[in-house]
């Protein structure tokens, strides 16, 4: 089995790692960084930019630079979360024919799994360059509170990127694996994970290599992006009050404000105040207007206090579900870049009665844990057992629109459970199985995962037929459901493929497109390397001609100058084949020049 890479597909940044020689290695990206911005940009020329290079051009190309796409994955266009996001991002979020939230860039509509796949593909390339081998298997992490739709959509993204997703594991669980790896302690730990777009709280017990998740809770739409937005709103309101200009109508200005807000937030993790200085952010009849604001840590904490406070209830809920008290917890691990804010550490200490640990890197620990799980699956690690849980209850809609749970949240996975149902009217020959996920007692208040029908039930009085409905949840949290009529043995089953996912033909089409894009990227990279090689060769040859060429026959000097000039034209045109031919011609005259100079020496 080839190497299994571990990927933290974060809202703001992502990270990839691998087990090498019994240790976890963080794989650097093309720019040399250990994490990569989860940003994709599309240019008018049709180029795809990924990571830092995409983030750098966000100000000048804001409507076609996509970020925080993880917050859209597996969500409907009319959901409150998508509506909230539409109000603050500079790019256009549109409704797909099936009701999903998609994104428009350069007049093309893209699904969130497709955009995520572009990021994953770049991580895959980095891993292949690092390992010197093809990579096909991966462990991808998701927030613990992701439902089945969001997990399926993440798996689709991996498939589009050319990866076999061996396992989807929860981010806090991955962090615990990294913390507990090579650690023989027996202890109960809390993983408080506040990243760019999601919040999870997970309580685990580690004992002799067994990692058992006791409970999990959280919010899939709370994270650092919301903290940034509070600063942006503060800046916009202050600028409007001072200048009478509403910057919310200016996409370019908003993108600059976002970058300034993110930078200020990071600085306030280590200093008590910072200055946000954005010159020429707008203009009116009186001239250009600038943003120049001093943001203190005290003011920042005032702006985000309710966001931090909203993490307290899930923490208490997780303790309740695990049947533990704060004093039962041995260690609290902070995960996610937003946990660097002092107000977060302070709140965590207030909830659990002890300061959180800072011994692991919150930006890398999730990817490290995913790589460890990859090592377990590959057989490289044999003394670790992971027992994860289902974040939300699963069940069916029954008569009157009620929700009946077959599997309770925080049940250990993988698992299987069966419940017997019956008909509600006489001679009923068809039963609709409506699969739901959530905690509300009314079916309409929960997330619909899919429907199928069991047909051909023999006519009988209501209440007579016995229909066994079985739910299976695999180790990735993916759901399968079957229904069987006990009398006839007739059975119908489905793996839940949520409507928020992509149809199989769409996935295959996107896989082909991703492969094509990878080839285009390779060709572009080869063309750049050829251009650089030829440019250097031209420069060196011209330099030698200027310094020593005066002793050559006139016709040789003219020939060399002509070849160099033609080669420069070929470089300007950018055609790879012409550049390779130019390289051969320049190498030939450079060789003649060298031979001539040697003969004159």
């Amino acid at each position: 089995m080839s190497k299994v890479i571990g990927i933290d597909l974060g809202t703001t940044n992502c990270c990839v790692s691998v087990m090498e020689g019994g240790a976890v290695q963080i794989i650097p990206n093309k720019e040399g960084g250990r994490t990569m911005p989860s940003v994709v940009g599309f240019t008018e020329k049709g180029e795809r930019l990924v990571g830092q290079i995409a983030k750098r051009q966000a100000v000048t190309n804001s409507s076609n630079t996509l970020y925080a796409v993880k917050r859209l994955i597996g969500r409907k266009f009319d959901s409150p979360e998508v509506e909230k996001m539409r109000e603050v991002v500079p790019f256009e979020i549109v409704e797909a024919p099936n009701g999903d939230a998609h994104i428009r860039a350069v007049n093309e509509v893209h699904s969130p799994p497709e955009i995520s796949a572009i990021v994953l593909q770049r991580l895959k390339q980095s891993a292949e360059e690092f390992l010197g081998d093809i990579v096909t298997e991966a462990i991808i992490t998701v927030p613990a509170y992701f439902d089945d739709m969001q997990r399926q959509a993440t798996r689709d993204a991996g498939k589009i990127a050319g990866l076999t997703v061996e396992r989807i594991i929860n981010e806090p669980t991955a962090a615990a694996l990294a913390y507990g790896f090579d650690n023989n302690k027996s202890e109960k730990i809390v993983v408080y994970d506040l990243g760019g777009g999601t919040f999870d709280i997970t309580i685990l017990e580690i004992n002799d290599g067994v990692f058992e998740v006791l409970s999990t809770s959280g919010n899939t739409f709370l994270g650092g992006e919301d903290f940034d937005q509070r600063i942006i709103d503060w800046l916009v309101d202050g600028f409007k009050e001072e200048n009478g200009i509403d910057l919310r109508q200016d996409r370019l200005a908003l993108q600059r404000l976002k970058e300034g807000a993110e930078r200020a937030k990071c600085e306030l993790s280590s200093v008590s105040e910072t200055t946000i200085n954005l010159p020429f952010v707008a203009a009116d009849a009186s001239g250009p207007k600038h943003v120049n604001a001093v943001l203190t840590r005290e003011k920042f904490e005032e702006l985000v206090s309710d966001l931090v406070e909203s993490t307290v209830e899930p923490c208490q809920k997780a303790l309740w579900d695990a049947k533990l008290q704060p004093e039962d917890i041995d260690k609290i691990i902070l995960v996610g870049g937003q946990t660097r804010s002092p107000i977060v550490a302070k709140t965590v200490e207030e909830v659990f009665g002890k300061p959180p640990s800072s011994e692991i890197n919150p930006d890398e620990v999730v990817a490290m844990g995913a790589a460890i799980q990859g090592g377990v699956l590959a057989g490289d690690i044999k003394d670790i057992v992971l027992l994860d849980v289902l974040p939300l209850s699963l069940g069916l809609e029954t008569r009157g629109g009620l929700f009946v749970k077959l599997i309770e949240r925080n049940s250990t996975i993988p698992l299987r459970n069966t419940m017997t149902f019956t008909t509600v009217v006489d001679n009923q020959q068809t039963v609709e199985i409506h699969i739901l996920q959530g905690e509300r007692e009314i079916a309409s208040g929960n997330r619909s995962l899919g429907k199928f029908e069991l047909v051909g039930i023999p006519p009988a009085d209501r209440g007579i037929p016995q229909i066994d409905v079985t739910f299976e949840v695999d180790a990735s949290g993916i759901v399968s459901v079957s229904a069987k009529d006990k009398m006839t043995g007739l059975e119908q089953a489905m793996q839940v493929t949520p409507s928020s996912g992509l149809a199989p033909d769409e996935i295959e089409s996107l896989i082909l497109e991703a492969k094509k894009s990878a080839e285009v990227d390779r060709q572009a990279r080869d063309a750049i390397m050829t251009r650089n090689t030829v440019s250097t060769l031209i420069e060196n040859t011209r330099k030698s001609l200027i310094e020593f060429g005066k002793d050559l026959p006139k016709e040789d000097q003219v020939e060399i100058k002509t070849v160099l000039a033609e080669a420069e034209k070929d470089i300007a045109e950018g055609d790879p084949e012409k550049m390779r031919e130019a390289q051969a011609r320049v190498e030939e005259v450079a060789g003649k020049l060298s031979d001539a100079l040697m003969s004159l020496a």
Side-chain angles (χ1 to χ4, degrees):
M1 186 176 185
S2 62
K3 291 288 184 181
V4 182
I5 58 174
I7 296 176
D8 173 12
L9 182 61
T11 305
T12 305
N13 294 292
C14 48
C15 186
V16 58
S17 63
V18 68
M19 289 292 299
E20 281 274 89
V24 182
Q25 297 280 343
I26 298 295
I27 296 174
N29 55 44
K30 293 181 182 297
E31 291 79 24
R34 293 169 68 87
T35 62
M36 184 183 81
S38 303
V39 182
V40 174
F42 295 87
T43 70
E44 294 294 341
K45 294 180 180 179
E47 295 176 295
R48 290 181 175 181
L49 309 175
V50 187
Q52 192 62 48
I53 190 172
K55 187 174 181 179
R56 279 198 294 264
Q57 54 89 67
V59 170
T60 56
N61 187 29
S62 59
S63 62
N64 298 311
T65 302
L66 314 180
Y67 58 86
V69 171
K70 184 176 177 179
R71 303 192 103 179
L72 296 174
I73 202 164
R75 293 192 190 274
K76 291 297 184 182
F77 177 79
D78 60 0
S79 68
E81 294 87 357
V82 172
E83 178 62 31
K84 180 181 177 182
M85 191 166 172
R86 286 171 62 204
E87 294 174 356
V88 298
V89 295
F91 51 85
E92 184 181 3
I93 302 173
V94 299
E95 185 173 11
N98 63 354
D100 297 351
H102 283 195
I103 308 159
R104 190 189 307 279
V106 196
N107 296 319
E108 289 188 5
V109 174
H110 305 271
S111 68
E114 180 187 354
I115 300 302
S116 296
I118 294 172
V119 175
L120 289 171
Q121 193 174 44
R122 181 55 54 88
L123 296 175
K124 178 178 183 288
Q125 290 172 357
S126 296
E128 289 174 340
E129 291 174 7
F130 180 82
L131 295 169
D133 197 5
I134 299 297
V135 171
T136 56
E137 287 86 27
I139 308 293
I140 301 179
T141 64
V142 297
Y145 233 48
F146 255 26
D147 62 25
D148 190 71
M149 287 185 175
Q150 293 165 310
R151 291 169 190 267
Q152 290 278 11
T154 303
R155 188 181 286 277
D156 288 348
K159 187 174 182 181
I160 294 166
L163 291 166
T164 299
V165 183
E166 297 290 346
R167 186 73 56 85
I168 297 282
I169 67 170
N170 295 333
E171 290 163 3
T173 307
L177 279 174
Y179 165 75
F181 186 56
D182 283 340
N183 184 343
N184 296 322
K185 293 180 181 177
S186 294
E187 53 189 350
K188 294 181 178 67
I189 67 170
V190 166
V191 179
Y192 180 103
D193 184 355
L194 185 59
T198 59
F199 168 66
D200 289 314
I201 183 76
T202 297
I203 301 177
L204 306 93
E205 184 168 11
I206 303 175
N207 193 356
D208 293 331
V210 177
F211 291 71
E212 182 178 3
V213 178
L214 303 179
S215 66
T216 190
S217 188
N219 184 338
T220 58
F221 209 83
L222 173 66
E225 295 286 334
D226 302 298
F227 286 66
D228 295 346
Q229 192 59 44
R230 291 296 173 85
I231 300 175
I232 294 169
D233 291 341
W234 175 72
L235 291 170
V236 168
D237 291 341
F239 190 85
K240 185 176 181 181
E241 183 178 344
E242 183 178 346
N243 300 287
I245 300 174
D246 188 358
L247 294 178
R248 289 185 176 88
Q249 310 307 315
D250 186 336
R251 286 185 171 185
L252 181 61
L254 284 176
Q255 187 61 41
R256 292 185 65 194
L257 289 172
K258 177 173 175 55
E259 292 189 359
E262 183 179 346
R263 186 165 51 250
K265 179 188 70 176
C266 294
E267 290 174 356
L268 288 174
S269 296
S270 55
V271 299
S272 59
E273 71 174 39
T274 184
T275 300
I276 303 172
N277 186 13
L278 302 172
F280 304 102
V281 78
D284 61 11
S286 64
K289 304 296 179 184
H290 320 292
V291 169
N292 195 330
V294 174
L295 179 61
T296 64
R297 182 186 292 175
E298 182 181 7
K299 181 61 180 179
F300 169 67
E301 293 183 350
E302 177 189 324
L303 293 173
V304 302
S305 60
D306 63 312
L307 297 177
V308 179
E309 184 63 27
S310 67
T311 70
V312 172
E313 184 179 346
C315 292
Q316 295 170 338
K317 183 180 177 184
L319 281 169
W320 174 267
D321 289 342
K323 300 178 175 57
L324 297 173
Q325 297 296 321
E327 54 268 25
D328 298 323
I329 302 301
D330 297 300
K331 185 158 289 188
I332 304 104
I333 299 171
L334 299 183
V335 177
Q338 192 54 60
T339 59
R340 286 190 169 91
S341 292
I343 187 176
V344 173
K346 180 182 176 183
T347 301
V348 169
E349 184 172 357
E350 289 173 353
V351 173
F352 294 100
K354 55 177 65 69
S357 168
S358 57
E359 61 190 85
I360 54 178
N361 187 321
D363 296 322
E364 299 175 358
V365 64
V366 171
M368 292 172 66
I372 292 168
Q373 179 63 24
V376 172
L377 293 183
D380 299 330
I381 302 172
K382 303 184 185 299
D383 54 355
I384 286 180
V385 177
L386 174 60
L387 302 174
D388 215 331
V389 299
L390 189 73
L392 296 164
S393 299
L394 287 166
L396 302 176
E397 180 179 1
T398 59
R399 188 180 186 184
L402 296 178
F403 177 50
V404 174
K405 297 178 183 176
L406 271 77
I407 300 176
E408 294 281 349
R409 65 185 174 88
N410 287 322
S411 298
T412 301
I413 59 174
L415 57 79
R416 173 189 174 101
N417 195 29
T418 300
M419 187 178 290
T420 302
F421 294 84
T422 188
T423 53
V424 295
V425 297
D426 293 339
N427 301 317
Q428 183 177 342
Q429 295 181 275
T430 300
V431 172
E432 181 182 76
I433 308 296
H434 185 193
I435 307 154
L436 298 160
Q437 187 168 31
E439 306 305 325
R440 300 282 298 278
E441 294 184 4
I442 304 301
S444 60
N446 297 300
R447 187 79 175 264
S448 173
L449 299 184
K451 297 178 181 180
F452 67 92
E453 289 186 340
L454 180 65
V455 299
I457 301 171
D461 292 341
R462 62 181 179 177
I464 297 298
Q466 300 289 294
I467 301 162
D468 283 346
V469 177
T470 300
F471 275 64
E472 287 190 71
V473 185
D474 68 15
S476 295
I478 305 297
V479 183
S480 299
V481 182
S482 63
K484 182 177 182 180
D485 177 24
K486 283 186 175 182
M487 181 181 295
T488 63
L490 184 71
E491 186 172 5
Q492 180 67 40
M494 69 175 288
Q495 177 172 311
V496 177
T497 304
S499 58
S500 63
L502 295 166
D505 58 335
E506 290 179 293
I507 293 174
E508 291 304 319
S509 174
L510 289 170
I511 289 172
L512 292 175
E513 186 178 337
K515 288 180 179 177
K516 181 180 177 182
S517 297
E519 178 61 22
V520 169
D521 288 347
R522 185 193 65 77
Q523 292 174 358
R525 185 167 59 250
D526 290 348
I528 291 169
M529 291 177 68
T530 301
R531 179 185 292 111
N532 292 343
T533 300
V534 179
S535 295
T536 302
L537 191 57
I538 290 171
E539 183 181 342
N540 292 340
T541 304
R542 180 172 284 129
K543 184 177 179 181
S544 296
L545 183 63
I546 292 170
E547 290 184 10
F548 310 109
K550 61 181 181 295
D551 296 325
L552 294 179
K554 201 70 175 177
E555 59 270 20
D556 289 349
Q557 295 183 42
V558 171
E559 180 190 2
I560 294 172
K561 289 178 180 178
T562 301
V563 169
L564 296 181
E566 290 174 349
E568 286 179 326
K569 288 181 181 178
D570 290 335
I571 290 177
E573 290 180 12
D575 181 87
E577 186 60 35
K578 285 187 177 181
M579 286 193 294
R580 282 191 289 270
E581 291 173 359
Q583 180 178 349
R585 293 196 305 271
V586 175
E587 287 174 345
E588 183 180 353
V589 297
K592 287 182 180 180
L593 174 60
S594 178
D595 291 342
L597 294 176
M598 289 291 292
S599 65
L600 293 171

